[in-house]
Amino acid sequence: NAGVTQTPKFQVLKTGQSMTLQCAQDMNHEYMSWYRQDPGMGLRLIHYSVGAGITDQGEVPNGYNVSRSTTEDFPLRLLSAAPSQTSVYFCASSYSGLAGTDTQYFGPGTRLTVL
Amino acid sequence: TQLLEQSPQFLSIQEGENLTVYCNSSSVFSSLQWYRQEPGEGPVLLVTVVTGGEVKKLKRLTFQFGDARKDSSLHITAAQPGDTGLYLCAGAGSARQLTFGSGTQLTVLP
């Protein structure tokens, strides 16, 4: 099993550009989520999905879109990149998504810089 | 929004020393998890504590959940360089959302 994979590992964008961060898992997990990690702020939830076709907003959803067409994939789209979106982005998956009890498996992260 | 505050933010110690990291909140959490993150990687779950007053041990790591389920601590005995990393606590903000603390960056010097 590859677990949770993310691409690209690094990305530099100019303000206003759009891009998609890819995330895939091969553990047949129903729950997938996206976090951003900024210095001194831990991880903050952007969007999450409890199954194919179902998505919901987390703590910091503005400027990001998601969709979940398959169980395996959960891409994160930046519509018009801003310098405030410079961060490290982590995708995670878990079997049921019950926060605080279910094990979250994290990908290796995407380091995004917006100039 | 439920907040989790971790202290200290940074900790640098010598190999063989003991240390404690704290995770505090004004809110009650139904459960709390501790993760460790190494540079360039995602966090990895260490433990989940569910019951107030619960103590769990993982080799040299001891985790405790406060009686009121508002705080937790991580104690490492005889720290080793391999313990170096970012330690994160996380609590269930809602049924589907984890709230993470800001983290404690631990460096164990040989």
Side-chain angles (χ1 to χ4, degrees), chain A residues 39-61:
Chain A
M41 299 189 72
L43 284 88
R44 292 182 292 168
L45 183 64
I46 304 172
H47 286 285
Y48 65 96
S49 168
V50 298
I54 306 169
T55 64
D56 207 344
Q57 296 180 351
E59 180 185 355
V60 288

Side-chain angles (χ1 to χ4, degrees), chain A residues 9 31 35 37 39-45 48 50 56-59 90 96-109 111, chain B residues 1 9 30-33 35 37 40-45 48-50 86 88 90-103:
Chain A
K9 194 163 182 63
Y31 182 89
Y35 292 86
Q37 185 174 34
M41 299 189 72
L43 284 88
R44 292 182 292 168
L45 183 64
Y48 65 96
V50 298
D56 207 344
Q57 296 180 351
E59 180 185 355
F90 288 97
S96 67
L98 288 176
T101 55
D102 207 6
T103 300
Q104 299 260 354
Y105 295 88
F106 285 84
R111 185 175 295 274
Chain B
T1 302
Q9 188 175 359
S30 57
S31 60
L32 201 135
Q33 297 180 318
Y35 290 79
Q37 183 179 16
E41 299 181 5
V44 176
L45 180 67
T48 299
V49 285
V50 179
L86 178 67
L88 296 157
S94 69
R96 299 293 186 183
Q97 298 192 32
L98 265 184
T99 297
F100 279 85
S102 54

Side-chain angles (χ1 to χ4, degrees), chain B:
Chain B
T1 302
Q2 295 175 296
L3 296 176
L4 282 167
E5 295 184 357
Q6 286 188 240
S7 61
Q9 188 175 359
F10 299 96
L11 188 56
S12 181
I13 61 171
Q14 294 293 133
E15 181 176 1
E17 293 183 349
N18 302 332
L19 68 111
T20 302
V21 175
Y22 299 93
C23 176
N24 295 296
S25 175
S26 59
S27 303
V28 174
F29 287 92
S30 57
S31 60
L32 201 135
Q33 297 180 318
W34 284 92
Y35 290 79
R36 182 170 72 198
Q37 183 179 16
E38 299 190 14
E41 299 181 5
V44 176
L45 180 67
L46 296 174
V47 76
T48 299
V49 285
V50 179
T51 306
E54 182 176 3
V55 177
K56 280 193 174 179
K57 292 190 175 183
L58 188 66
K59 296 184 180 178
R60 293 176 293 99
L61 278 63
T62 301
F63 304 86
Q64 186 163 6
F65 200 15
D67 292 339
R69 290 184 288 134
K70 292 183 177 181
D71 57 88
S72 181
S73 64
L74 158 60
H75 182 78
I76 301 179
T77 303
Q80 298 177 1
D83 296 326
T84 293
L86 178 67
Y87 288 82
L88 296 157
C89 63
S94 69
R96 299 293 186 183
Q97 298 192 32
L98 265 184
T99 297
F100 279 85
S102 54
T104 293
Q105 181 63 53
L106 172 66
T107 303
V108 182
L109 304 169

